Amino acid sequence: MIVAGPHVGHWVMNRIGGFFDPVCMSAIGWQSGGQLTAGASYRDWNGVSIEGQIAADRPLTRGFLFAIFDYPFRQLGARKIIATTSADHIRSIRLLRRLGFIEEACLRDAAPGGDLIICTMRQEDCRFLGGTYGQEGIRTTAA
């Protein structure tokens, strides 16, 4: 089930190593059996792009994938999602690539693990907004 609220943002940031500020950030999560199993947090919406972070303890469901891309692309109208990760976070880089993000830049020595990789996805390149990923069967609840 889709859930939203600061508790999701804190859950995401605890897993990726960051700080969630509910004043300027938002978050969407997937809850199964009463436990959060995946989440995405968003920040720095500027009217064109938004930065997002994803964390998961289990494989991502179709409903969750739809929700985390529907929010920035359709609800906010973003043209691009920006995701950053340290170059030594190989699993994060693999996940971003599998989701369809492309590596757009590398900032040398800008992350605790060395280089900072900046990945992006444009709305027109997102495959999760329709078809089998659509809204069928998605229940939401705000916390």
Side-chain angles (χ1 to χ4, degrees):
M1 170 175 37
I2 298 292
V3 294
H7 72 289
V8 177
H10 292 295
W11 185 91
V12 171
M13 298 314 263
N14 283 338
R15 276 160 177 73
I16 67 170
F19 174 75
F20 183 79
D21 182 353
V23 173
C24 60
M25 297 173 77
S26 57
I28 298 170
W30 184 261
Q31 188 171 300
S32 179
Q35 297 291 319
L36 277 171
T37 61
S41 67
Y42 306 91
R43 67 176 173 212
D44 295 334
W45 167 238
N46 66 12
V48 177
S49 64
I50 192 166
E51 186 176 343
Q53 300 85 20
I54 301 171
D57 288 343
R58 296 187 186 157
L60 304 177
T61 66
R62 290 179 183 273
F64 177 70
L65 287 167
F66 173 81
I68 66 171
F69 290 105
D70 179 71
Y71 171 69
F73 286 138
R74 290 192 176 150
Q75 294 180 41
L76 295 180
R79 292 189 301 218
K80 186 176 271 195
I81 299 172
I82 301 164
T84 61
T85 189
S86 179
D88 66 341
H89 289 173
I90 304 305
R91 289 180 60 206
S92 295
I93 294 169
R94 281 190 202 133
L95 173 62
L96 290 170
R97 286 179 181 159
R98 281 195 317 267
L99 293 175
F101 284 82
I102 60 166
E103 292 180 30
E104 198 163 310
C106 175
L107 303 178
R108 294 200 166 288
D109 302 320
D115 298 342
L116 182 70
I117 307 297
I118 300 173
C119 300
T120 65
M121 179 190 290
R122 299 179 311 164
Q123 181 179 11
E124 58 267 26
D125 298 328
C126 181
R127 68 182 187 269
F128 303 108
L129 295 178
T132 59
Y133 293 92
Q135 298 179 23
E136 305 163 59
I138 297 176
R139 296 179 304 165
T140 62
T141 178

